[in-house]
Amino acid sequence: MSNWSIDYSSLNKSNTQKIPNPIGFEPLALQRQSKPEKSARQLDSSDKDDMQAAIKMKRAWDVAMGPAKSIPMNAMMIYMSGTSLQIFTVMITAMLFFQPFKAIMSVQQTFNRFESKNNSSDLLLPKLTFVGLHIITILLGVYKVNAMGLLPNTTSDWLSFIQPKVVMEYSA
């Protein structure tokens, strides 16, 4: 045998008893629990209904927070597209308006799969969050239209509606 190998079969069993257990190791954790615990199959129907409702609410919140993930992406897209009037910029701006409007109009269908007879009123806050985040996306579109100069928000945009001044006298 070489100098660098260890023969574990030759180790003395009495020496292994002197080694302390690692920190955090509990030998009782390896033994079975004496009191019976309920498994998922042994849950009664009310516990199952509560678990189902909790899972549905968690999924509803996941769907409600989905538009928040696209807001930074949309902000980066409107920044990268610039403020000039080109077909790409117009398409991105149109997307910022049409997709949120479509999602807001179908909010009931989106959250319909999470409704049950017990939690129909609990879904109000996720629905409002969903709509609010889509309104933020629409506001990004309004900002983009303003940055492109397509919103009439200065007095020079409304000059055609202003009556010309009536000159009271002329000087020669």
Side-chain angles (χ1 to χ4, degrees), residues 20-40:
N21 288 332
I23 297 172
F25 177 76
E26 295 181 23
L28 297 178
L30 298 175
Q31 298 174 357
R32 293 187 178 218
Q33 297 282 337
S34 60
K35 56 183 177 180
E37 292 184 10
K38 286 187 174 181
S39 67

Side-chain angles (χ1 to χ4, degrees), residues 44-62:
D44 55 350
S45 64
S46 65
D47 289 342
K48 284 183 183 178
D49 292 341
D50 291 343
M51 284 179 59
Q52 284 273 339
I55 291 172
K56 282 185 178 183
M57 279 303 294
K58 184 180 182 310
R59 292 295 303 144
W61 274 108
D62 290 343

